Amino acid sequence: MVVRSYNEELQYLEKIGPVSWRIKKGFQPNMNVEGIFYVNKVLEKLMLDELRNACRPGMVGGFLPGVKQIANVAALPGIVYRSIGLPDIHAGYGFAIGNMAAFDMNDPKAIISPGGVGFDINCGVRLLRTNLSEKDVLPVKEQLAQSLFDHIPVGVGSKGIIPMTARDMEEALEMGMDWSLREGYVWSEDKEHCEEYGRMLNADPSKVSMKAKKRGLPQLGTLGAGNHYAEIQVVDEIYDKWAASKMGIEFKGQICVMIHSGSRGFGHQVATDALLAMEKAMKRDQIDVNDRQLACARITSVEGQDYLKGMAAAANFAWVNRSSMTFLSRQAFAKQFNMAPDDLDMHVIYDVSHNIAKIEEHMVDGKPKTLLMHRKGSTRAFPPHHPLIPVDYQLTGQPVLIGGTMGTCSYVLTGTETGMKETFGTTCHGAGRALSRAKSRRNIDYTDVLAALEQQGISIRVASPKLVMEEAPESYKNVTDVVDTCHAAGISSKAIKLRPIAVIKG
């Protein structure tokens, strides 16, 4: 491995726009394409400081900074265009979290990598609107927060209350939200406002291990821990009135519910199983990568196809999971306000994935290509008139849900034509960590965090005090910096800002 000084490393980085930087070939070995990352002044300092720290004597073999992970992905076989880092980027397993890459389906050497999807397959965000105002909710905010906490199982070992047999599990993995619809847990229009209509058709439960199914069976309809949450939020700003009205957001002060969760232990096991299989496939097919965490397989190989089918089953699990929590949230609100959920207008605005690999059609160098998109910690953001977004949003572009951190605001963006050209219709997914979980626990006192939330008027229900420290706002980048960078780059456009008034966490 070549060891270079910080100044030598900088020779390979070039600022090419107000919020964009290029990573030249040669920054890491065997790069097939260049890299690019998007940062404003504040985020730029974080990225470059991370690189500078990694260049210090004695740091060889330590953590890999985000820019190096972007460059390592650029060296993978079959990658096209460039390896893209979004403004919320931070170190992850293999791919950085906030890294997007596309691979040519017609290139026999092109690969699929579980590290480019993440362990929490189809971790994503769902937003429900209501016709309630902040004035309606504030007098009963504590009771409503408690009701949500009581209805939605949370925490590391939480078990679901949605009845599931092994046969139900098999059907849910294959059918996704169609299973939820058949069982009466969602409204028919919920599917219309979900990426992929809540079902990946290539899912094959037979490609999933029994261990994964056993882990997943008790966890369906559970929030989990970590950065997952259910929040009661208030519309704080409307930047694009027309786009907001298409989403059913009519006024400042309107109440929404945001659910952020994924495929729980099921998805984690699917990823773990695939990584073991792919390490063997790499030896057989003589695939070399810069980082062993980038374990991968040819898309056309048995291992590659098995992972795609198993990953799709995990994605379906996650959609059923968020749908089950939608059902429980509607129940909690209905019980508190003694009204039917449809009388409260509790419709799904949209549901997005930000840890997934999908086959899509895109233009590369003026020619149409079929690509396998790896979006890890990044969100699809398709522009107006794209055939894969709902009729309701054909004129505005796809809604993009950007969850904030505990106690900070969240955003709804819309997809743009610029984003389609520059990032294959991809934008950020959240704030992105600035401190590791261990460092957060060392540096932050949970009583201080709780006091700060109380001062902001935010109710919190949490299963573990340790989580309060790990998920404190100080542990993350500023979500507004992230969103403003994407807006300035033109890869997505700001529509709505939401602020939390109650947070439910594991």
Side-chain angles (χ1 to χ4, degrees):
M1 185 176 71
V2 178
V3 180
R4 292 189 294 242
S5 70
Y6 175 64
N7 285 334
E8 287 172 323
E9 297 279 38
L10 282 182
Q11 301 299 311
Y12 289 91
L13 305 182
E14 179 189 3
K15 192 164 187 177
I16 55 173
V19 292
S20 56
W21 285 68
R22 178 164 61 209
I23 305 170
K24 299 173 192 172
K25 288 184 183 181
F27 183 64
Q28 290 288 80
N30 308 315
M31 287 173 67
N32 296 311
V33 295
E34 293 182 327
I36 188 171
F37 60 94
Y38 296 91
V39 283
N40 68 2
K41 283 286 185 193
V42 176
L43 301 174
E44 176 185 304
K45 184 178 185 306
L46 287 173
M47 283 285 275
L48 297 182
D49 282 352
E50 183 185 53
L51 179 62
R52 182 186 286 110
N53 290 336
C55 292
R56 284 188 324 212
M59 290 300 287
V60 176
F63 72 98
L64 213 53
V67 283
K68 294 221 168 186
Q69 288 197 299
I70 297 169
N72 281 340
V73 169
L76 290 172
I79 189 170
V80 299
Y81 187 46
R82 53 197 185 191
S83 174
I84 297 167
L86 286 312
D88 47 344
I89 194 164
H90 58 286
Y93 185 93
F95 280 57
I97 297 160
N99 194 179
M100 191 284 296
F103 296 82
D104 186 350
M105 290 291 290
N106 294 313
D107 182 342
K109 291 186 176 178
I111 58 89
I112 170 106
S113 174
V117 172
F119 283 96
D120 192 1
I121 295 165
N122 191 9
C123 184
V125 185
R126 177 174 293 202
L127 186 64
L128 314 177
R129 67 175 189 247
T130 76
N131 55 17
L132 297 166
S133 71
E134 188 174 11
K135 283 188 289 186
D136 298 323
V137 168
L138 281 180
V140 294
K141 185 180 62 161
E142 291 296 334
Q143 297 95 305
L144 191 55
Q146 189 62 45
S147 183
L148 263 183
F149 190 68
D150 292 342
H151 275 77
I152 299 174
V154 303
V156 175
S158 55
K159 293 189 176 179
I161 56 172
I162 302 289
M164 287 287 285
T165 64
R167 183 176 174 180
D168 286 325
M169 178 75 162
E170 293 284 328
E171 292 176 349
L173 295 180
E174 186 177 337
M175 296 170 66
M177 275 179 72
D178 285 333
W179 181 87
S180 303
L181 185 60
R182 188 189 76 187
E183 298 297 316
Y185 293 116
V186 298
W187 302 345
S188 56
E189 56 266 41
D190 290 355
K191 260 188 60 160
E192 299 297 315
H193 285 180
C194 186
E195 195 171 321
E196 298 294 314
Y197 300 100
R199 178 180 186 178
M200 289 189 82
L201 297 173
N202 62 324
D204 184 349
S206 74
K207 302 302 181 187
V208 174
S209 69
M210 192 53 67
K211 187 174 182 181
K213 289 170 184 173
K214 281 182 177 173
R215 284 184 73 179
L217 184 59
Q219 293 183 332
L220 209 53
T222 64
L223 192 63
N227 62 347
H228 295 157
Y229 59 76
E231 283 189 358
I232 302 169
Q233 299 178 338
V234 179
V235 174
D236 200 43
E237 295 287 345
I238 298 175
Y239 305 105
D240 185 335
K241 284 189 177 180
W242 188 55
S245 69
K246 290 288 182 186
M247 300 176 205
I249 298 299
E250 303 292 349
F251 58 93
K252 284 172 71 170
Q254 190 170 341
I255 294 291
C256 295
V257 180
M258 185 175 275
I259 298 165
H260 177 206
S261 190
S263 51
R264 304 287 276 110
F266 180 85
H268 197 285
Q269 193 62 49
V270 168
T272 303
D273 294 341
L275 285 165
L276 291 172
M278 287 183 184
E279 281 186 8
K280 294 174 186 172
M282 285 172 70
K283 287 177 188 168
R284 180 194 68 215
D285 295 335
Q286 297 179 312
I287 302 171
D288 290 319
V289 293
N290 289 348
D291 178 1
R292 66 183 301 271
Q293 291 186 357
L294 289 169
C296 56
R298 307 271 185 233
I299 297 171
T300 51
S301 70
V302 170
E303 294 83 1
Q305 287 298 305
D306 284 355
Y307 173 68
L308 274 173
K309 291 168 185 173
M311 184 215 66
N316 287 348
F317 180 100
W319 279 313
V320 172
N321 195 31
R322 289 198 286 277
S323 296
S324 301
M325 287 185 281
T326 300
F327 172 77
L328 297 169
S329 299
R330 284 169 173 160
Q331 280 196 324
F333 269 74
K335 188 175 178 183
Q336 181 62 51
F337 291 97
N338 199 24
M339 291 171 73
D342 51 347
D343 290 332
L344 290 167
D345 191 35
M346 292 191 74
H347 286 273
V348 173
I349 289 177
Y350 208 59
D351 178 298
V352 296
S353 316
H354 52 231
N355 274 7
I356 205 158
K358 289 197 295 190
I359 298 167
E360 294 172 3
E361 301 292 326
H362 289 275
M363 299 297 286
V364 181
D365 297 326
K367 296 175 186 170
K369 279 192 181 288
T370 304
L371 304 176
L372 181 63
M373 314 299 300
H374 288 63
R375 291 191 180 99
K376 180 181 181 182
S378 56
T379 313
R380 193 187 77 176
F382 281 170
H385 314 301
H386 196 285
L388 292 183
I389 61 176
V391 173
D392 300 11
Y393 304 133
Q394 279 292 307
L395 298 179
T396 61
Q398 178 204 311
V400 182
L401 311 175
I402 308 300
T405 59
M406 190 173 63
T408 69
C409 57
S410 297
Y411 288 87
V412 184
L413 317 177
T414 51
T416 65
E417 283 294 346
T418 300
M420 203 65 184
K421 292 185 189 113
E422 290 202 11
T423 61
F424 294 124
T426 307
T427 193
C428 62
H429 88 299
R433 291 198 77 88
L435 294 178
S436 69
R437 294 185 185 281
K439 199 173 274 189
S440 296
R441 289 196 298 273
R442 285 198 303 272
N443 294 359
I444 298 167
D445 186 275
Y446 83 93
T447 54
D448 292 342
V449 181
L450 293 177
L453 290 172
E454 189 178 352
Q455 202 167 12
Q456 290 173 259
I458 300 170
S459 303
I460 182 165
R461 298 291 185 278
V462 65
S464 163
K466 179 183 79 171
L467 219 93
V468 175
M469 297 178 283
E470 291 179 4
E471 297 302 314
E474 302 95 301
S475 302
Y476 285 83
K477 297 175 182 178
N478 184 324
V479 70
T480 301
D481 277 327
V482 170
V483 165
D484 285 350
T485 301
C486 292
H487 185 84
I491 60 175
S492 51
S493 185
K494 289 198 294 187
I496 302 161
K497 179 183 176 185
L498 302 149
R499 61 177 167 83
I501 56 170
V503 183
I504 313 303
K505 288 192 77 74

